[in-house]
Amino acid sequence: MDSSSNKVPVTILTGFLGSGKTTLLNRILSEQHGKRIAVIENEFGEVGIDQALVINAEEEIFEMANGCICCTVRGDLIRVLGNLMKRRDKFDYVVVETTGLADPGPVAQTFFMDDEISSEFSLDGIITLVDTFHINQQLGRSNESTEQIAFADVIVLNKTDLVKDSELDNLEARLREMNKMAKFIRSEMANVPINSVLDKSAFNLDQALIRRPTFLEPEYPFEWTGIYSTKPGKYKIIMSEGPDPSMSLVIELDQNTDDVSLRNGAEHCVRLYAEDAEIIKPSEIIPKGKHVNLNLESLGQKEFYVEIEKDTKIGLFAQHTAEEFNMKLIEVNNNDEVPVEVERTWVAQHEHDDEVGSFSIEKDGDLDEQKLQAWISKLLREKGVDIFRMKGFLSIAGESNRFVFQGVHMIFSGKPDRPWGSLPRRNQLVFIGRNLDEKEMRKGFEDCLV
Amino acid sequence: MSIMETQPQKILRSGWNTYVNDYAISGGWNYNGEALIICDAAGGIYVFDGKSGEVIWTQRQVHEDGILSAAIHPLTNRFATGGQDGKIIIWNTHQKNKEKVIDLGGGWIENLSWSQDGEMLAISCSKTVYVYTKEGDEIWQSNNHNSTVSNLGWSINKELATTCYGRVCFFDGMSGKVKQKLEWKGSLVSMVLSPNSDIVVCGSQDNTIHFWRRSTEQDSMMSGYPLKPSALSFDETGSYLATGGSEEVTVWSFKGNGPEGTSPLSLKLHKKPITTLAFAHRGMNLASGSRDGAVVLWDLKSENEESGLSETSVSDSVSKLYWRPDDKALAGLDRQGGVTVWHV
């Protein structure tokens, strides 16, 4: 009997003690999502939802005699899930809440290395909660917190009310350098939308690629966003002299200030920035929802106009920070400055001193299958211990279908995906690991190109 | 349910079949074969008349959140069930009432086993094992094992064998004193003792079989399995060990200097991985079940690969196969709650 089509999805919730895992779990359980969720907890939390099936199990890490780290599995999960799957009627989703000190590797590997588990359950994603107030100390001190960041598909920056916005921007930039695959969400009391943490299909690559055509979070072409409340009327953006003779800008209408809206707006603007910019001279009106390039060549203060038709919030997604040009938004009829309600710096300054990092390789062209196989098997044999996660899609010479793959340490799984059709044939690989030699890996990959 | 007979001998003739309310996880024939006891994952007990399949008595939800384990007494009309509620209940086959409830105060009761003389009941709950009298009074309990106890078994000398991560441990059944520890760095998912109790065999999470000869503590490993060998069965003489761990039944011979350095017999009829194996109490008949619900009866007398006698099937993955004490009937339990009895 083939049950592959109805495997039960499993979400892993990691994060240090006090990061808000239990709060998020309670939020997931109390939401009206129509799912019957079973919870496996490794530490006594305060899950207080009656209708959920909550099982407490002590973490049991089973290493194998062969010493291979990718064979290390979590015995407690095999046991509990093995019993749970005998009663499929009781639940249709599983959330595993690990201890703060858990190594996410064996947890993830359990879903690939144990045949009975992998035939009944599919790993949906790894969610890591970060206590933004304490994480900087933790990252220096423990491998576990670093690995929880490195393995994550979604990183929730929690307790943002305790940390200054500029510090959050710096923290996010630091963590993004460690894990370029993860989606970031900010929250105060783990109040994140449920659909941002469940049903992610993060290990089911063809599904993930249908939703978004890339495994990478965008590199933002703008440094700064400011959100302002506006009324119908005429506004002007005033700018002093700054470091550049021009600045790119997109004005988004109806831009809400919450984190999810801000990120959605940013993603939309990444696409707009890819289009050619319209050059706007001082005193001209800036069109909204379009990529423009403000001409700043003339000396002294410059003004640009914006016409607003309704009560709304507007987001200025600017190539440079407001500070660099002393940029201000002024209401024309009363000459009042409109205060910035929320601002976000996307490309923050930070030091690259973490051992754990991530990088991507993006290349057009076809790959020689034999060379590729030889390269990957050598890479995994020699560096598998240091590679935490990898994902990618490949264009293999002579194959009409795209090839997708993902891996955890030495566990590599790949399969042909949909046909390339008229799409340009290209390759994208993302690696997250410890002390990875990016230059050597890039060269190794490029040597596989036809 | 369709019963198909592929062999002209019709060794397995259909008897009766029925369904219980959930995944049929455990049970067995009572000591004289008159009743078949089945437990489902939802916590239901069903006692069937062995001949007719009529329900003698049934009770639902005897353990809150479900039953995990059951053990049928070898000599009397008793059986025990353990559940997710941390309780063990001792029942009488003839009656619906509980003879005794043992409450360990939480934790899953994953393994239960009666000693061969029926005087003692071993229980595992998390990392601890407990031994009780057949009446349900505690005799002793162990210290914590390295990990959750994965299997229990009794030797002919009233020793209790336990497995956990990295170790097989033999306790004196009466006193609880540790008599022997056999170590191996691996998660031992299954265990069987040879009939004379000298050989203990374990299937390991790393897709190998590890076994020890207790008298010499000499150990050996058999590898090459694609999956975990979670099904194991010795024949009555201890000459043959049948193992799962793939779509084939692999049979090792312990005759002479074997099985070290010998090739096993591979029995190939199943199309999906083996889930359960049971040698008959006497003779060389072996029953095997697989994930697709196929059940095969093999005769190993001929020691060749053409020993498949009869092939049939149940509705879904076979969870257990139990020979009636007289070996004239075989019961099969499956994942859909199906209970099927064949005459042999």
Side-chain angles (χ1 to χ4, degrees):
Chain A
M1 185 159 295
D2 183 19
S3 53
S4 60
S5 51
N6 52 8
K7 288 186 191 179
V8 177
V10 181
T11 291
I12 297 167
L13 215 52
T14 71
F16 260 41
L17 191 67
S19 58
K21 284 177 301 206
T22 306
T23 313
L24 176 58
L25 191 55
N26 276 321
R27 203 171 281 278
I28 291 171
L29 295 177
S30 56
E31 192 102 339
Q32 294 299 319
H33 40 52
K35 291 187 201 306
R36 294 162 300 170
I37 298 179
V39 178
I40 302 173
E41 277 193 307
N42 285 138
E43 54 196 0
F44 282 92
E46 284 164 21
V47 177
I49 308 295
D50 292 340
Q51 62 267 35
L53 177 65
V54 180
I55 295 152
N56 219 287
E58 194 184 325
E59 176 180 22
E60 295 187 335
I61 298 167
F62 291 171
E63 292 169 9
M64 301 300 143
N66 62 17
C68 167
I69 64 149
C70 78
C71 294
T72 302
V73 292
R74 285 282 298 271
D76 53 320
L77 294 181
I78 294 175
R79 197 165 52 80
V80 173
L81 291 171
N83 277 311
L84 275 182
M85 73 191 182
K86 292 176 181 167
R87 293 198 64 187
R88 297 282 295 271
D89 59 314
K90 284 193 84 173
F91 64 94
D92 44 34
Y93 206 101
V94 177
V95 177
V96 177
E97 183 191 354
T98 69
T99 71
L101 292 170
D103 174 356
V107 183
Q109 284 157 200
T110 300
F111 294 89
F112 302 101
M113 295 308 291
D114 189 282
D115 161 68
E116 281 167 27
I117 298 302
S118 65
S119 65
E120 301 280 341
F121 297 92
S122 65
L123 183 53
D124 182 71
I126 300 173
I127 316 299
T128 297
L129 270 94
V130 172
D131 172 352
T132 51
F133 194 62
H134 290 111
I135 186 71
N136 278 318
Q137 296 150 260
Q138 292 160 350
L139 281 177
R141 234 173 268 160
S142 88
N143 281 339
E144 290 87 357
S145 64
T146 309
E147 283 170 20
Q148 287 171 2
I149 298 295
F151 271 93
D153 296 294
V154 178
I155 294 174
V156 180
L157 301 175
N158 195 26
K159 305 196 177 178
T160 52
D161 47 329
L162 304 178
V163 180
K164 277 195 292 195
D165 281 355
S166 59
E167 285 175 28
L168 284 174
D169 294 343
N170 279 327
L171 173 64
E172 184 169 325
R174 179 180 180 187
L175 302 184
R176 273 172 66 91
E177 204 61 49
M178 293 166 71
N179 183 340
K180 283 195 161 77
M181 281 189 315
K183 258 198 166 330
F184 284 82
I185 311 173
R186 294 184 187 187
S187 66
E188 289 185 6
M189 296 279 291
N191 48 341
V192 301
I194 300 307
N195 63 11
S196 64
V197 289
L198 299 189
D199 289 322
K200 304 308 289 175
S201 299
F203 289 82
N204 188 353
L205 300 183
D206 35 356
Q207 279 304 312
L209 281 171
I210 288 169
R211 290 186 210 174
R212 298 175 82 226
T214 175
F215 292 120
L216 286 170
E217 289 305 300
E219 297 280 352
Y220 297 110
F222 37 84
E223 283 184 17
W224 180 87
T225 299
I227 302 176
Y228 302 83
S229 279
T230 52
K231 299 191 293 274
K234 200 163 187 182
Y235 290 80
K236 61 182 176 186
I237 293 173
I238 59 168
M239 298 180 77
S240 307
E241 281 176 38
D244 282 324
S246 70
M247 185 185 85
S248 273
L249 177 75
V250 170
I251 300 178
E252 279 274 282
L253 285 180
D254 304 324
Q255 176 61 56
N256 283 327
T257 53
D258 63 281
D259 183 56
V260 173
S261 304
L262 194 50
R263 286 179 200 280
N264 287 341
E267 208 167 320
H268 183 228
C269 287
V270 169
R271 288 199 288 275
L272 293 176
Y273 261 78
E275 292 169 10
D276 288 341
E278 182 180 335
I279 294 166
I280 306 292
K281 295 194 189 109
S283 307
E284 288 184 341
I285 295 171
I286 302 174
K288 297 171 291 281
K290 283 191 83 170
H291 181 200
V292 300
N293 193 271
L294 306 182
N295 183 320
L296 307 174
E297 280 166 6
S298 59
L299 295 174
Q301 180 172 295
K302 285 145 290 255
E303 300 178 352
F304 300 88
Y305 290 92
V306 186
E307 286 172 342
I308 302 294
E309 284 86 26
K310 57 174 183 175
D311 283 336
T312 185
K313 287 187 202 302
I314 61 168
L316 306 189
F317 289 81
Q319 189 186 353
H320 300 292
T321 62
E323 212 178 9
E324 285 174 83
F325 288 90
N326 195 21
M327 182 167 73
K328 289 187 177 112
L329 183 70
I330 309 283
E331 199 174 343
V332 171
N333 64 6
N334 56 16
N335 225 22
D336 284 348
E337 183 182 344
V338 184
V340 61
E341 214 166 292
V342 165
E343 58 184 324
R344 172 76 55 95
T345 307
W346 299 100
V347 184
Q349 292 303 313
H350 63 284
E351 292 167 29
H352 299 252
D353 58 353
D354 290 305
E355 275 183 15
V356 170
S358 59
F359 68 92
S360 65
I361 299 174
E362 290 182 85
K363 276 271 164 199
D364 292 340
D366 286 353
L367 295 158
D368 180 295
E369 191 172 358
Q370 284 189 345
K371 284 184 189 166
L372 178 74
Q373 274 183 3
W375 175 65
I376 287 189
S377 48
K378 182 167 181 282
L379 181 69
L380 296 185
R381 199 166 55 240
E382 291 172 0
K383 300 280 190 284
V385 173
D386 292 328
I387 296 174
F388 298 143
R389 299 264 316 252
M390 61 190 153
K391 275 185 187 181
F393 56 81
L394 303 169
S395 168
I396 294 168
E399 295 293 330
S400 55
N401 289 50
R402 185 168 68 175
F403 186 85
V404 293
F405 73 92
Q406 66 95 15
V408 174
H409 287 309
M410 295 87 159
I411 306 169
F412 178 92
S413 69
K415 62 177 178 185
D417 179 38
R418 62 183 170 81
W420 285 101
S422 57
L423 287 172
R425 296 179 68 119
R426 60 192 194 96
N427 306 281
Q428 182 184 73
L429 302 85
V430 192
F431 294 93
I432 303 174
R434 176 177 282 125
N435 297 325
L436 297 182
D437 186 340
E438 181 177 340
K439 210 173 134 197
E440 191 189 299
M441 284 167 71
R442 269 183 201 288
K443 185 177 179 307
F445 175 79
E446 282 167 20
D447 288 346
C448 300
L449 287 164
V450 175
Chain B
M1 188 187 309
S2 66
I3 303 281
M4 56 173 197
E5 306 275 23
T6 56
Q7 297 286 325
Q9 300 100 315
K10 292 207 173 193
I11 303 291
L12 283 179
R13 285 167 292 114
S14 52
W16 52 269
N17 70 72
T18 186
Y19 280 87
V20 295
N21 225 20
D22 204 324
Y23 198 123
I25 52 166
S26 192
W29 296 89
N30 78 330
Y31 77 101
N32 60 13
E34 285 172 4
L36 178 67
I37 299 137
I38 304 294
C39 299
D40 72 21
I45 295 179
Y46 304 78
V47 179
F48 297 102
D49 180 274
K51 278 207 182 74
S52 66
E54 273 171 50
V55 177
I56 300 171
W57 64 264
T58 180
Q59 202 168 331
R60 298 276 176 85
Q61 293 204 307
V62 301
H63 291 277
E64 202 181 324
D65 296 328
I67 293 179
L68 293 169
S69 52
I72 316 295
H73 195 274
L75 305 170
T76 67
N77 278 312
R78 272 201 185 86
F79 66 94
T81 57
Q84 290 189 20
D85 55 359
K87 291 179 183 149
I88 301 97
I89 305 175
I90 300 177
W91 306 83
N92 186 305
T93 313
H94 296 308
Q95 294 157 14
K96 218 171 174 170
N97 5 344
K98 302 166 185 174
E99 285 202 344
K100 178 88 182 183
V101 178
I102 300 164
D103 189 350
L104 297 180
W108 284 13
I109 311 299
E110 290 183 74
N111 296 284
L112 291 172
S113 180
W114 294 99
S115 60
Q116 297 190 12
D117 63 1
E119 292 299 314
M120 289 177 279
L121 173 67
I123 299 162
S124 84
C125 177
S126 187
K127 297 179 179 178
T128 311
V129 293
Y130 302 79
V131 172
Y132 278 70
T133 64
K134 64 174 184 290
E135 288 80 24
D137 298 316
E138 183 177 325
I139 308 173
W140 57 271
Q141 70 179 69
S142 74
N143 292 328
N144 272 354
H145 285 61
N146 287 342
S147 74
T148 301
V149 174
S150 51
N151 295 279
L152 293 177
W154 288 89
S155 76
I156 47 171
N157 306 317
K158 297 191 189 185
E159 297 158 300
L160 175 66
T162 66
T163 60
C164 63
Y165 175 69
R167 180 179 295 168
V168 184
C169 196
F170 284 85
F171 296 87
D172 178 79
M174 298 300 290
S175 67
K177 207 175 139 233
V178 176
K179 292 181 71 178
Q180 191 172 31
K181 278 183 190 173
L182 303 166
E183 313 250 341
W184 166 248
K185 188 178 176 183
S187 167
L188 306 175
V189 297
S190 56
M191 175 182 73
V192 68
L193 285 166
S194 64
N196 68 3
S197 303
D198 184 46
I199 302 163
V200 56
V201 183
C202 293
S204 179
Q205 178 76 37
D206 61 4
N207 301 349
T208 62
I209 288 208
H210 210 85
F211 72 89
W212 291 262
R213 289 188 173 83
R214 295 185 56 206
S215 44
T216 59
E217 296 206 352
Q218 178 207 344
D219 65 332
S220 290
M221 188 168 87
M222 272 111 57
S223 56
Y225 290 94
L227 305 169
K228 285 188 284 190
S230 42
L232 302 171
S233 184
F234 262 115
D235 80 303
E236 60 156 336
T237 65
S239 306
Y240 296 98
L241 171 73
T243 64
S246 76
E247 286 142 27
E248 299 169 11
V249 180
T250 306
V251 183
W252 296 93
S253 170
F254 281 72
K255 285 178 169 172
N257 295 324
E260 291 95 328
T262 66
S263 297
L265 190 65
S266 285
L267 306 177
K268 297 171 190 163
L269 271 180
H270 287 282
K271 295 176 184 71
K272 292 286 172 183
I274 302 298
T275 51
T276 185
L277 290 165
F279 264 106
H281 300 91
R282 283 160 295 278
M284 297 302 294
N285 278 352
L286 170 70
S288 58
S290 54
R291 257 184 227 173
D292 56 358
V295 174
V296 179
L297 183 63
W298 313 85
D299 179 8
L300 296 181
K301 273 199 292 288
S302 46
E303 285 193 42
N304 66 42
E305 294 183 16
E306 308 302 315
S307 50
L309 279 180
S310 193
E311 194 182 352
T312 179
S313 69
V314 294
S315 50
D316 200 342
S317 184
V318 187
S319 58
K320 292 278 165 56
L321 291 167
Y322 296 116
W323 288 94
R324 203 165 70 187
D326 64 3
D327 290 334
K328 288 182 176 153
L330 178 71
L333 281 57
D334 72 53
R335 171 190 178 120
Q336 295 293 326
V339 178
T340 308
V341 171
W342 301 274
H343 299 297
V344 182

